[in-house]
């Protein structure tokens, strides 16, 4: 019994549609509508974008499904459909559309048609009810048809979107290549997780690694860091995607390597013969059975996407070739990740023509384009097939990449575009010359193609729609029906454009991977590969490695900004390049470090001459916009094979030599064996100093400052001392410069401030009062620390000491590092009552203009002048000048290093009344100082 109410019709339709799969949806819909609304015929059809053609999806006619062919909409009722309304003629519809043969064939009298729209309201197709008698529908039929059409439109959209998505995914499933035996198979991935799991499977199942995992990046932090494992495959795991407990431990202990790979953006490798730099971690990895561990950063377009780790339990060597192969895989993975994240499908290839295009057996590159051209000409029976690209430097010239004439490959050539059909291709996207095309072909063909009649060409566009080349075919005989040729050529054009785009992307990936963006020099990765090839070459000849580090470059970034700094580095790179022979290899390692491989330099003398040329190239100031920069360079030299046979050894020894050059303020140093021991000792002392700072085991001595006229105490200077269980007593002249070099001077200064204030507080609790102020030495780096004022005032408050009890000493050169910041900071300290002295005065290069603005109350004459003032007229004159200048500026002077009465008397005669030195007392412990001077 047929339903008589709209709700019942909806229920029966919903019940039927929910029980079928998506393939039978439209057939069931047509059958159900015909039965429920009692009509002879029901049609569901899709309409193409320009609405000139309808394609039946299902046709129910008088109790059975019939096959219906696509038909032109013109002169049919379907031409009347609108997106938001229906079209109906209840009777005599054939008289309105006499040209519609379908209506006549089905003897249709009554007709109702509604559009199927997608979620955005765009018409996707139509639903048509037809009856052999006048159409008498229930009053709710319109409502039923509108709702059913809406549901059907959404289902049609879903199916179309699904097909399009499948096409895009299929195009991106070629992102990875297999690693072994030259296998060209591509891995297919539907999303990023699947891609990474597939990559891990390649490493384990094909590469033979015990386990592989990919760590993701946490992008929403100040500095990118490594997050959790995103994908993994483990031969010892119970299931795909799980690491075994043992491998979880290995992954945990390798996090330091993962961080290094991310920071350096280069592979990090551990083997039983190498070291990660952390003995505890090395021992643990070895105990867990790790023979080799390779960590590769996943980087694309300069963005870190993750870190790929491989673990090997078998005793197999990890060669540089293996690392390069895995690095290539990592690049492919990064490219695949980026493609899945950021790129939509670039080509839609029709199924039938795709089979023709994919007949090309070559995978990519020039071989691919050559075969593509040959297949295209054969598929279209054309005498000529060609592919050309626009010249990068002159857009009016095209370069032929491949050309076939009568089945034979011809030499390539370049030609001008003016006046030839290819010029029309670029402006109109497509050009067809039906006859006489040979008369207008490029003159560069030397008349070899004068016999050509028909020309069909199509523009090749990149992913952004910009023209990059031309693809075309030519025929000996005139050809006027070119529709098939144009259709097939469009598909081949998509293939060719895709390959050219891939080559461009690959070149860009290589550019990003091996070229420094700022200077256009080879980068660290390229350098490491270059040096590896040099040292592993069986016919390797001696050469020199020069490591260059710019001096004081940080000051340019701090004062002029990083944009100016980048331009300065670009100019430095240009000067270095001009100073070197063309055969020498120059690269930028990062920051302000450069490296040179002197290809034909076989001895130390030649290497030093090269270093001198590089140093001389920076003699002239570098002027960028309104900024002028004066730079110098320190150079470390290592020689192959004298100083090492491996990349690591040569680079390490050049770095040690460069460090020695910097430390001794020399232009260049060549590595010597003792330097390695010296660096090791410095590193050990630095490590012990870091421990001492962490444990607060440094302590203070106090040297009195006196009035030379009366011998009375007027203050004291706090001097830092260090005694270590391993090293014994370490001289301040050794550990203070080391703290400055290693970035520990601020922490050391904070320790001195806290200990000085604590001692003043203890003396106060004992009822002892220090006359004058206790002087504390402040390093230049502490003035760069925004917390200096807070540190001083907080320490005073916590120990119950008045700020007026302290005096701050800073060296003259320290003031001039950042004079404006120093002036601002010292004004704040003076406002709280603290004293301020300029230490080692006369040894720096301060400006009197700054000295006048500087809130100092005392100048400390350097010991180097005091020591020889009785025997050197120059030193005596300098001391007298300093005292006179200080008196003129209203500043007190204090002389340090007084060792005899004669020095004291001479200073008094010049007008200096304050002093400290062994003549009065040596630096004392807090207890000794209190007994001698505070009781």
């Amino acid at each position: 019994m047929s339903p008589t109410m709209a709700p019942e019709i909806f229920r029966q339709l919903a019940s039927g549609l929910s029980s079928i799969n998506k393939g039978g949806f439209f057939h069931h819909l047509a059958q159900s509508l015909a039965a429920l609304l009692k009509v002879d015929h029901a049609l569901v059809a899709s309409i193409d974008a320009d609405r000139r053609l309808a394609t039946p999806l299902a046709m129910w006619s008088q109790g059975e499904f019939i096959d219906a062919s696509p038909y032109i909409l013109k002169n049919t009722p379907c031409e009347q459909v609108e997106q938001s309304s229906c079209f109906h003629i209840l009777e005599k519809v054939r008289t309105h559309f006499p040209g519609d043969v379908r209506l006549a064939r089905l003897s249709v009298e009554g007709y109702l048609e509604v559009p199927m729209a997608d979620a955005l309201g765009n018409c996707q197709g139509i639903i048509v009810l037809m009856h052999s008698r006048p159409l008498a529908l229930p009053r709710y039929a319109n409502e039923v048809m509108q709702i059913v059409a809406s549901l059907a439109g959404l289902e049609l959209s879903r199916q179309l979107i699904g097909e399009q998505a499948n096409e895009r995914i299929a195009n991106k499933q070629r992102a990875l290549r297999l690693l072994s035996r030259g296998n060209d198979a591509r891995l297919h991935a539907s999303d990023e997780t699947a891609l990474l799991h597939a990559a891990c499977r390649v490493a384990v199942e094909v590469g033979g690694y015990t386990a592989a995992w990919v760590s993701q990046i946490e992008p929403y932090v100040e500095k990118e860091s490594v997050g959790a494992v995103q994908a993994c495959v483990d031969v010892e795991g119970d299931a795909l995607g799980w690491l075994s407990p043992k491998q979880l431990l290995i992954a945990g202990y390798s996090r330091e390597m993962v961080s290094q790979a991310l920071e350096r953006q280069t592979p990090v490798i551990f083997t039983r013969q190498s070291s990660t730099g952390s003995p505890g971690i090395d021992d643990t990895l070895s105990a867990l059975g790790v023979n080799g561990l390779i960590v590769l950063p996943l980087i694309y377009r300069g963005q870190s996407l993750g870190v790929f780790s491989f673990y090997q339990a078998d005793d197999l060597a990890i060669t540089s070739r293996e690392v390069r192969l895995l690095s290539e895989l990592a690049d492919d993975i990064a490219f695949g990740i980026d493609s899945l994240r950021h790129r939509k499908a670039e080509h839609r290839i029709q199924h039938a023509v795709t089979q023709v295009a994919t007949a090309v057996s070559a995978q990519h590159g020039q071989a691919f384009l050559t075969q593509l051209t040959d297949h295209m000409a054969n598929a279209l029976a054309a005498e000529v097939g060609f592919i050309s690209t626009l010249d990068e430097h002159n857009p009016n010239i095209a370069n032929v990449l491949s050309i076939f004439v009568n089945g034979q490959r011809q030499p390539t050539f370049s030609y001008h575009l003016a006046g030839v059909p290819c010029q029309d291709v670029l402006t109109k996207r497509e050009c067809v010359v039906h006859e006489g095309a040979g008369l207008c072909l490029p003159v560069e063909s030397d008349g070899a193609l004068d016999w050509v009649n028909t020309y069909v060409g199509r523009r090749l566009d990149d992913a952004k729609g910009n023209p990059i080349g031309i693809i075309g075919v030519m025929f000996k005989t005139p050809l006027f029906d070119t529709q098939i040729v144009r259709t097939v050529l469009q598909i081949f054009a998509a293939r060719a454009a895709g390959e050219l785009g891939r080559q461009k992307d690959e070149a860009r990936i290589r550019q990003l991977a091996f070229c420094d963006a700022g200077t256009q020099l080879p980068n660290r990765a390229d350098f490491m590969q270059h040096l590896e090839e040099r040292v592993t070459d069986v016919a390797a000849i001696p050469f020199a490695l020069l490591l260059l580090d710019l001096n004081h470059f940080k000051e340019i970034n701090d004062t002029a900004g990083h944009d100016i700094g980048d331009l300065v580095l670009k100019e430095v790179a240009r000067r270095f390049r001009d100073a070197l022979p063309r055969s020498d290899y120059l690269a930028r390692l990062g920051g302000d470090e450069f490296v040179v491989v002197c290809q034909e330099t076989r001895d130390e003398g030649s290497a030093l001459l090269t270093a001198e040329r590089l140093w001389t190239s920076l003699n002239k100031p570098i002027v960028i916009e309104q900024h002028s920069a004066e730079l110098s360079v320190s150079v470390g030299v290592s020689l192959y094979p004298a100083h090492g046979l491996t990349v690591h050894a040569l680079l390490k020894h050049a770095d040690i030599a460069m460090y020695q050059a910097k430390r001794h303020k020399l232009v260049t140093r060549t590595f010597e064996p003792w330097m390695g021991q010296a660096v090791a000792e410095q590193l050990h002392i630095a490590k012990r100093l870091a421990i001492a700072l962490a444990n607060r085991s440094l302590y203070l001595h106090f040297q009195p400052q006196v009035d030379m006229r009366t011998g009375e105490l007027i203050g004291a200077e706090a001097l830092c001392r260090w005694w270590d269980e391993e090293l014994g007593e370490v001289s301040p002249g050794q550990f203070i410069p080391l703290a400055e070099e290693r970035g520990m001077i601020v922490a050391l200064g904070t320790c001195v401030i806290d200990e000085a204030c604590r001692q003043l507080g203890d003396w106060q609790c004992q009822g002892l009062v220090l006359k004058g102020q206790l002087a504390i030495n402040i390093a230049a780096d502490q003035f760069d620390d925004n917390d200096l004022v807070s540190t001083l005032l907080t320490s005073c408050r916590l120990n119950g000491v008045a700020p007026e009890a302290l005096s701050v000493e800073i060296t003259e050169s320290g003031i001039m590092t950042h004079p404006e910041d120093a002036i601002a900071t010292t004004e704040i300290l003076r406002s709280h009552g603290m004293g301020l002295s300029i230490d080692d005065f006369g040894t720096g290069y301060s400006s009197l203009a700054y000295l006048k603005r500087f809130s100092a109350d005392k100048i400390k004459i350097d010991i180097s002048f005091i020591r020889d003032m009785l025997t050197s007229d120059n030193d005596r004159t300098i001391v007298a000048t300093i005292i006179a200048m200080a008196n003129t500026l209203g500043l007190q002077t204090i002389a340090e290093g007084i060792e005899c009465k004669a020095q004291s008397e001479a200073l008094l005669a010049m007008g200096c009344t304050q002093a400290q030195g062994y003549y009065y007392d040596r630096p004392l412990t807090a207890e000794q100082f209190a007994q001698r001077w505070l009781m």
Side-chain angles (χ1 to χ4, degrees):
M1 179 177 179
S2 300
T4 58
M5 298 180 64
E8 179 61 21
I9 290 179
F10 293 147
R11 186 191 66 77
Q12 291 192 23
L13 279 172
S15 176
L17 292 174
S18 63
S19 63
I20 63 173
N21 58 40
K22 61 182 181 180
F25 180 91
F26 296 115
H27 284 78
H28 185 85
L29 178 62
Q31 181 182 4
S32 298
L33 285 175
L36 295 172
L37 296 178
K38 300 179 180 180
V39 295
D40 294 330
H41 317 285
L43 168 68
V44 182
S46 64
I47 296 178
D48 65 4
D50 55 13
R51 298 190 181 178
R52 292 182 298 174
L53 184 70
T55 301
L57 302 174
M59 177 71 178
W60 177 264
S61 179
Q62 295 181 334
E64 64 178 354
F65 288 108
I66 64 172
D67 293 331
S69 302
Y71 58 91
I72 301 298
L73 298 179
K74 188 175 182 180
N75 299 324
T76 71
C78 300
E79 192 176 18
Q80 311 299 317
V81 70
E82 296 180 358
Q83 293 185 3
S84 58
S85 64
C86 66
F87 175 77
H88 62 274
I89 297 179
L90 300 182
E91 58 183 344
K92 298 182 180 180
V93 65
R94 282 179 290 168
T95 61
H96 294 276
F97 298 96
D100 192 335
V101 295
R102 294 179 309 108
L103 299 179
R105 185 172 66 251
L106 298 175
S107 301
V108 175
E109 287 294 324
Y111 183 94
L112 172 65
E113 173 185 308
V114 293
M116 295 189 299
D118 60 15
L120 298 178
N122 300 315
C123 183
Q124 299 289 322
I126 53 174
I127 299 176
V128 178
L129 300 181
M130 295 174 285
H131 200 52
S132 57
R133 294 184 300 280
L135 195 61
L137 295 173
R139 56 183 177 78
Y140 49 76
N142 242 0
E143 180 184 1
V144 171
M145 292 296 290
Q146 292 286 355
I147 295 176
V148 168
S150 177
L151 294 175
L154 293 177
E155 173 61 20
L156 180 57
S157 297
R158 186 189 66 78
Q159 292 187 17
L160 291 175
I161 292 172
E163 292 172 1
Q164 295 167 359
N166 289 337
E167 290 180 6
R168 290 195 296 269
I169 293 171
N171 287 334
K172 296 305 179 183
Q173 285 175 337
R174 299 182 179 91
L176 298 175
R177 294 171 294 185
L178 297 179
L179 294 178
S180 121
R181 302 175 185 88
N183 193 336
D184 294 332
R186 299 271 183 161
L187 297 175
H188 300 275
S190 59
D191 54 30
E192 184 175 337
T193 301
L195 173 64
L196 298 180
H197 274 298
C200 293
R201 277 199 302 274
V202 169
V204 173
E205 297 174 3
V206 181
Y209 286 88
T210 306
W213 58 94
V214 178
S215 304
Q216 64 185 0
I217 294 296
E218 296 177 350
Y220 303 109
V221 293
E222 182 177 352
K223 183 178 181 181
E224 287 185 341
S225 60
V226 181
V229 172
Q230 191 172 3
C232 54
V233 172
D234 177 6
V235 296
E236 296 183 17
D238 296 329
L240 182 67
W242 290 89
L243 284 173
S244 66
K246 176 182 176 181
Q247 313 305 356
L248 284 173
L249 286 173
I250 294 172
Y253 277 98
S254 64
R255 286 185 66 85
E256 181 176 340
M257 293 176 61
V258 171
S259 298
Q260 291 176 4
L262 180 62
E263 180 179 355
R264 301 172 185 172
Q265 296 193 348
T266 56
V268 177
I269 305 166
F270 164 79
T271 65
R272 292 182 184 273
Q273 293 75 33
S274 67
S275 171
T276 66
S278 301
I281 294 177
D282 292 350
D283 295 340
T284 302
L285 290 175
S286 297
L288 288 170
V290 176
N291 180 70
L293 184 63
I294 305 174
V295 180
L296 301 170
L298 300 176
I299 302 169
Y300 184 71
R301 303 182 191 274
Q303 179 185 4
S304 298
L305 304 176
V307 181
F308 201 1
S309 301
F310 307 85
Y311 152 60
Q312 179 59 266
D314 296 335
D315 189 17
L316 297 175
I318 299 176
T319 64
S320 59
R321 182 177 180 182
E322 175 75 355
V323 174
R324 287 197 297 270
L325 190 60
L326 294 176
S327 297
E328 183 180 0
L329 173 61
D331 290 343
D332 288 343
I333 297 168
F335 178 79
I337 294 172
D338 185 82
S339 298
L340 288 169
R341 287 182 180 180
H342 301 295
R343 295 181 59 189
K344 296 181 179 179
E346 297 174 354
H347 310 289
R348 293 182 178 179
I349 304 175
Q350 298 177 7
H351 178 68
V353 186
T354 299
Q355 291 181 340
V356 177
T358 54
V360 179
S361 60
Q363 186 178 10
H364 55 72
Q366 181 59 43
F368 173 89
L369 295 173
T370 300
Q371 285 196 2
L372 185 70
T373 308
D374 187 22
H375 281 244
M376 175 181 64
N378 289 333
L380 294 173
E383 282 77 18
V384 180
F386 74 93
I387 297 175
S388 61
T389 58
L390 299 181
D391 191 272
E392 292 184 0
H393 306 290
N394 188 346
N396 297 315
I397 293 179
N399 303 311
V400 175
L401 295 182
S402 62
I403 179 170
F404 278 79
V405 178
N406 293 321
Q408 299 297 316
R409 185 179 178 185
Q410 304 298 316
T412 60
F413 59 92
S414 299
Y415 61 95
H416 288 80
L417 291 167
V420 302
C422 290
Q423 186 179 46
D424 293 334
V425 171
L426 295 177
T427 57
K428 301 176 182 178
R429 190 178 294 274
E430 186 181 63
C431 175
V432 178
V433 180
H434 296 280
E435 191 173 11
L439 300 176
C440 53
L441 291 180
V443 295
E444 288 84 355
S445 64
D446 293 329
L449 300 176
D450 288 349
W451 48 267
V452 167
N453 264 296
T454 301
Y455 168 101
V456 182
R458 186 169 184 85
R459 193 173 78 189
L460 302 178
D461 293 343
D462 63 15
K464 296 181 180 180
N466 301 315
I468 57 175
I470 303 107
I471 187 170
V473 288
M474 305 179 206
F475 299 86
K476 183 177 181 179
T477 58
L479 188 66
F480 298 99
D481 185 5
T482 59
Q483 182 60 42
I484 296 177
V485 174
R486 292 165 58 194
T487 301
V488 175
L489 188 63
Q490 181 177 357
I491 302 305
F492 278 97
R495 291 284 291 165
E499 173 58 20
L500 291 173
R502 191 203 64 77
Q503 291 183 19
K504 185 177 180 180
D505 288 343
E506 187 176 81
R508 186 178 181 189
I509 292 171
R510 184 167 183 83
Q511 177 80 358
L512 290 172
F514 295 102
C515 181
D516 175 64
T519 62
Q520 296 304 303
L521 292 176
N523 63 6
R524 175 181 286 272
D526 191 88
F527 161 71
M528 297 299 287
Q529 181 174 318
H530 175 84
L531 194 58
E532 181 69 33
E533 292 172 353
R534 286 298 304 268
V535 300
T536 55
D537 188 352
V538 293
I541 60 175
F543 63 88
L545 179 66
L546 277 59
L547 185 63
L548 299 86
D549 187 88
L550 300 179
N551 299 317
H552 310 299
F553 177 75
K554 181 177 181 297
E555 297 173 10
I556 297 175
N557 281 338
D558 291 342
T559 57
H562 288 273
D563 291 342
I564 297 297
D566 291 343
L567 294 175
V568 169
L569 287 174
K570 187 175 182 179
E571 173 62 16
V572 168
R574 186 194 65 78
R575 294 191 184 186
F576 283 170
R577 182 70 274 171
D578 292 344
L580 293 170
R582 294 183 63 86
S583 60
D584 284 357
Y585 175 92
L586 172 67
R588 181 188 175 198
L589 295 186
D592 57 0
E593 278 193 338
F594 295 82
V595 66
V596 176
V597 178
C598 300
Q599 311 281 20
E600 300 177 0
T601 299
R602 305 187 182 188
D603 55 53
E604 179 181 0
S606 300
L608 294 178
L609 288 175
T610 301
E612 184 177 356
R613 287 199 303 270
L614 293 167
W615 179 81
T616 303
S617 70
L618 298 182
N619 280 350
K620 293 182 180 180
I622 296 175
V623 179
I624 305 293
E625 297 178 359
Q626 305 300 321
H627 303 274
S628 178
E630 295 186 4
L631 289 173
S632 62
V633 64
S634 297
V635 186
V637 179
S638 63
L639 302 174
Y640 173 87
H643 298 149
L645 299 176
T646 66
V647 171
H648 175 76
L650 288 170
L651 192 56
K652 174 184 176 182
H653 293 159
D655 187 54
I656 291 173
M658 186 270 291
Y659 172 78
Q660 292 293 331
K662 270 188 173 295
R663 187 168 189 182
H664 296 285
K665 301 188 186 309
L666 299 174
V667 174
T668 183
R669 290 295 296 269
T670 303
F671 175 76
E672 298 177 34
W674 65 264
M675 293 180 180
Q677 181 61 32
V679 169
E681 292 176 358
Q682 288 293 101
L683 289 174
H684 183 62
I685 295 173
K687 180 178 179 181
R688 299 296 302 174
L689 179 58
I691 295 173
L693 287 172
N695 296 336
R696 294 294 180 118
S697 58
L698 280 75
Y699 57 94
L700 299 182
H701 278 182
F702 302 87
Q703 187 172 30
Q705 298 174 339
V706 300
D707 187 327
M708 290 187 290
R709 294 169 299 185
T710 62
E712 293 182 354
L713 184 71
I714 60 170
E717 180 178 3
L719 302 170
C720 189
R721 295 293 185 264
W722 177 29
W723 185 89
D724 184 77
E725 293 179 354
E726 291 186 15
L727 306 173
E729 190 71 33
V730 184
S731 167
Q734 185 176 14
F735 73 78
I736 290 179
L738 184 63
E740 291 176 335
E741 291 175 5
R742 300 288 173 176
M744 294 185 284
I745 194 64
V746 173
L748 189 149
T750 300
C751 287
V752 171
I753 291 171
D754 290 343
E755 183 62 20
C757 291
R758 186 198 62 77
Q759 188 58 60
L760 285 174
D762 287 351
W763 282 336
Q764 289 179 8
C765 292
Q766 298 172 29
L768 303 176
V769 178
L770 173 66
K771 294 181 180 180
Q773 295 176 319
L774 179 61
I776 301 173
N777 289 285
I778 300 296
D781 285 350
Q782 287 179 270
F783 272 87
D784 292 338
D785 182 11
N786 295 328
D787 294 331
L788 174 61
V789 173
S790 175
T791 299
L792 283 164
L793 296 178
T794 300
S795 188
C796 287
R797 177 175 54 80
L798 293 176
N799 291 281
V801 175
E804 294 86 348
L806 294 179
S807 176
V808 173
E809 290 188 3
I810 183 171
T811 62
E812 182 182 10
S813 58
I815 296 172
M816 295 308 298
T817 302
H818 297 293
E820 294 295 341
D821 292 341
I823 289 170
T825 301
T826 54
E827 285 179 350
I828 297 174
L829 297 177
R830 289 282 290 162
S831 69
H832 287 278
M834 293 185 187
L836 183 62
S837 300
I838 302 176
D839 198 6
D840 299 341
F841 192 83
T843 62
Y845 51 92
S846 62
S847 164
L848 288 177
Y850 280 116
L851 188 61
K852 288 173 60 180
R853 295 173 56 197
F854 199 66
S855 300
D857 53 17
K858 189 178 295 186
I859 289 177
K860 202 167 190 180
I861 306 173
D862 187 65
I863 189 174
S864 62
F865 301 121
I866 301 299
R867 183 183 299 113
D868 299 325
M869 62 176 288
L870 298 180
T871 58
S872 170
D873 291 339
N874 287 338
D875 285 349
R876 187 181 184 92
T877 300
I878 291 174
V879 172
T881 301
I882 292 174
I883 295 172
M885 182 188 68
N887 290 336
T888 301
L889 294 175
L891 304 176
Q892 295 178 334
T893 54
I894 180 170
E896 61 178 346
I898 305 300
E899 296 181 350
C900 63
K901 183 177 180 181
Q903 290 173 328
S904 175
E905 291 174 346
L907 288 166
L908 278 171
M910 295 180 194
C912 177
T913 61
Q914 300 180 5
Q916 72 181 78
Y918 276 49
Y919 178 64
Y920 300 102
D921 212 338
R922 60 185 175 82
L924 305 170
T925 65
E927 182 179 358
Q928 292 171 336
F929 185 85
Q931 290 176 351
R932 295 190 187 184
W933 294 94
L934 301 184
M935 296 297 186

